[in-house]
Amino acid sequence: MRVKVISRSTDDFTRERSQDLQKVFRNYDPALRSQEKAVEYTRALNAAKLEKIFAKPFVGAMDGHIDAVSCMAKNPNYLKAMFSGSMDGDIRLWDIAARKTICQFPGHQGAVRGLATSTDGDLLISCGVDSTVRLWKDPMRKMMDSNDAIADASQPSAVYTWKHAFWGVDHQWDGNIFATVGAQVDIWDHNRSEPINSFEWGKDTVISVRFNPGEPDVLITSASDRSLTLYDLRMSSPARKLIMKTRCNSVCWNPREPMNFTAANEDTNCYSFDARKLNEAKVVHKGHVSAVMDIDYSPTGREFVTGSYDRTVRIFTYNGDHSREIYHTKRMQRVFCVKYTYDGTYLVSGSDDTNLRLWKSKASEQLGVILPRERKKQEYLDAVKERYKHLPEIKRIVRHRHLPKPIYKAANIRRAMIDAENRKEQRRQAHSAPGSRPVQPFRKRRLIKEVE
């Protein structure tokens, strides 16, 4: 004869101390939870609404420049350090935690067009329209001083004067080489007063340059002749060139997928390409209503931030065709440069109104120390929102954004123009002989040709 008895040990459900959490036992059998989906849907809906309520992305503004902010650079050794250059030749080092200027770097006689830091963070490189490249040794020294007064840095360790104005600079990810662009692409060494190599393809001005994070000898440039050009320092001539219908103002490589890059274009879109296959864009990122001026990837490579002439900052996922977030303020004017911080938590934007602005990369994220229970709850709510994001009510709440009236009107006008163009093309297709007008996907429509 078998007798089943209920056996319970008090140690399983009794707290050792009064501060301990109560142990709760749950049976996850779906038959016992008939209302599970309804409960989770309600939680997802409430979480989406609360996210909107707590969405306060703007952290603060940093003022000090007396002209438009034209470029920025971050230091890999200090999360809270940010360099900025303005159109009047002023370069500043900012402590973004305290939101104040730590140090100034005087010397440029015209607009500063490019800033870059070396991989070890011990060297700051600046260039501008005064045809000089300036190297500043140990630029972070003032971050370590306790003195609150704004200090001037000592004289630059080197000043290199060249034949033409410079429009951009970038440092190699691994090595002592940096590149400047202007009338041509010049490759410099820290210890040489003249370029060690120069590349030229056409006579138009080159306006931006970025080194590849995975292959140190590969770099990409964008030029005013509407081209994107790939260079390899191990070769004597440029490798490949892609010509588009409109100019690209800035380019950025994906740090986690170094074969992919995204270009910020004058036609309000951003185009993501695979460097091995330039005959079509992988993704076209839409949303802005005016030229996109700058772009920067998050350290995770999963999203990037853009700044535009339409006075907004947008965040896109790396494979998404529309922005997941849009930031704007009443005072912010045309945005010329944007950067992610190295931990991916904040963005910094520099604009025409002489200010740098600090934003949260996740608008509703709680600042400060988060308890483990709070973090677990937030992860659960995010998972629930992800599960039910396709349902109409949640989708409407998550996607909704309040836009300034000029941008809202400009977006409507642009949408009407695109619809009219699409209708015209459909009518042309319908009244043409079969096969005489091949349908071209939008990913190829803005590309003219690829030159080897």
Side-chain angles (χ1 to χ4, degrees):
M1 178 180 177
R2 291 181 180 178
V3 177
K4 289 185 179 180
V5 297
I6 297 175
S7 175
R8 284 183 180 168
S9 170
T10 55
D11 295 336
D12 292 338
F13 55 87
T14 305
R15 293 184 294 177
E16 293 183 5
R17 295 180 297 275
S18 60
Q19 289 85 6
D20 290 350
L21 299 176
Q22 290 280 8
K23 294 184 179 180
V24 181
F25 296 93
R26 292 187 176 90
N27 187 340
Y28 289 104
D29 183 5
L32 300 176
R33 305 178 70 208
S34 58
Q35 298 296 315
E36 177 187 14
K37 287 187 178 179
V39 169
E40 283 194 341
Y41 171 75
T42 305
R43 286 175 183 165
L45 190 62
N46 291 339
K49 291 176 180 177
L50 286 172
E51 186 182 37
K52 288 295 170 192
I53 291 171
F54 292 116
K56 291 178 171 46
F58 182 62
V59 179
M62 296 175 278
D63 58 343
H65 285 294
I66 57 174
D67 208 339
V69 182
S70 56
C71 54
M72 291 192 298
K74 49 195 177 182
N75 192 292
N77 293 340
Y78 294 86
L79 277 178
K80 61 179 186 174
M82 185 68 68
F83 296 99
S84 66
S86 70
M87 300 296 279
D88 63 341
D90 185 24
I91 301 173
R92 288 175 179 246
L93 169 61
W94 300 87
D95 182 346
I96 59 176
R99 299 204 291 277
K100 65 179 183 181
T101 302
I102 299 296
C103 181
Q104 289 180 266
F105 301 84
H108 280 283
Q109 301 301 313
V112 180
R113 283 295 181 179
L115 288 174
T117 53
S118 59
T119 314
D120 57 9
D122 291 336
L123 188 71
L124 172 67
I125 303 159
S126 62
C127 66
V129 297
D130 58 356
S131 304
T132 62
V133 176
R134 295 172 187 263
L135 275 58
W136 311 82
K137 285 279 187 186
D138 196 17
M140 305 306 298
R141 186 178 68 255
K142 296 294 179 183
M143 287 289 282
M144 313 304 294
D145 296 343
S146 58
N147 185 12
D148 288 338
I150 297 175
D152 275 1
S154 58
Q155 293 299 315
S157 61
V159 179
Y160 304 146
T161 305
W162 199 228
K163 308 171 197 171
H164 52 77
F166 295 107
W167 280 79
V169 63
D170 194 34
H171 196 281
Q172 196 177 30
W173 284 70
D174 183 20
N176 293 328
I177 290 174
F178 63 93
T180 59
V181 292
Q184 61 189 17
V185 180
D186 296 314
I187 310 300
W188 303 73
D189 188 278
H190 290 179
N191 305 314
R192 301 285 293 274
S193 61
E194 291 190 355
I196 58 174
N197 200 357
S198 293
F199 296 99
E200 194 173 5
W201 194 343
K203 297 298 179 184
D204 290 274
T205 304
V206 187
I207 53 178
S208 73
V209 59
R210 288 290 177 99
F211 272 97
N212 190 301
E215 189 62 56
D217 292 322
V218 174
L219 60 108
I220 188 169
T221 63
S222 65
S224 56
D225 62 351
R226 314 185 310 281
S227 68
L228 294 169
T229 312
L230 282 167
Y231 298 85
D232 193 330
L233 302 185
R234 297 162 294 191
M235 299 169 61
S236 59
S237 60
R240 299 163 76 191
K241 187 175 189 177
L242 173 68
I243 300 175
M244 302 181 69
K245 289 188 176 179
T246 45
R247 187 179 82 174
C248 291
N249 291 314
S250 183
V251 192
C252 190
W253 295 95
N254 188 331
R256 294 298 177 189
E257 297 174 356
M259 74 293 291
N260 297 335
F261 66 89
T262 305
N265 203 279
E266 284 273 336
D267 68 354
T268 77
N269 298 331
C270 294
Y271 297 88
S272 290
F273 293 93
D274 188 328
R276 302 163 296 184
K277 187 184 178 187
L278 292 176
N279 61 349
E280 71 169 350
K282 291 183 71 176
V283 189
V284 180
H285 311 275
K286 307 173 186 176
H288 284 293
V289 296
S290 191
V292 188
M293 303 303 292
D294 197 17
I295 182 171
D296 190 43
Y297 261 95
S298 163
T300 62
R302 300 295 92 185
E303 57 189 24
F304 61 87
V305 60
T306 59
S308 171
Y309 214 69
D310 63 10
R311 308 188 297 280
T312 62
V313 173
R314 289 181 186 252
I315 302 174
F316 294 83
T317 54
Y318 76 105
N319 57 358
D321 57 348
H322 285 84
S323 60
R324 74 159 178 84
E325 200 64 77
I326 174 170
Y327 296 157
H328 54 85
T329 67
K330 284 184 178 179
R331 292 173 184 265
M332 186 163 71
Q333 297 303 308
R334 299 167 297 198
V335 182
F336 289 143
C337 48
V338 286
K339 288 288 181 197
Y340 260 99
T341 56
Y342 269 114
D343 59 353
T345 309
Y346 298 98
L347 322 168
V348 183
S349 66
S351 52
D352 203 13
D353 59 313
T354 76
N355 281 0
L356 276 76
R357 286 180 173 81
L358 185 63
W359 311 83
K360 292 189 283 189
S361 60
K362 292 181 180 175
S364 59
E365 188 176 32
Q366 180 182 341
L367 297 179
V369 179
I370 301 175
L371 298 175
R373 292 180 71 188
E374 290 179 310
R375 185 179 290 109
K376 281 184 179 179
K377 183 182 180 184
Q378 190 58 47
E379 288 171 356
Y380 169 72
L381 293 178
D382 291 342
V384 168
K385 277 189 295 184
E386 182 68 21
R387 177 180 291 182
Y388 294 99
K389 66 180 181 181
H390 60 283
L391 295 177
E393 190 67 13
I394 293 176
K395 188 176 181 181
R396 181 186 67 82
I397 293 170
V398 168
R399 289 184 60 189
H400 180 72
R401 296 288 182 277
H402 286 291
L403 292 176
K405 191 176 285 186
I407 295 172
Y408 182 77
K409 287 183 176 178
N412 286 339
I413 293 170
R414 180 163 177 75
R415 201 174 300 119
M417 290 167 59
I418 292 172
D419 290 344
E421 192 178 330
N422 290 338
R423 282 197 304 273
K424 186 181 286 188
E425 182 59 32
Q426 287 171 2
R427 288 166 184 163
R428 283 176 180 154
Q429 294 278 354
H431 292 86
S432 300
S436 63
R437 289 186 69 88
V439 179
Q440 200 174 26
F442 193 78
R443 298 193 308 277
K444 292 185 177 182
R445 211 173 290 171
R446 302 297 298 175
L447 314 182
I448 295 178
K449 64 177 179 178
E450 181 185 355
V451 184
E452 290 286 345

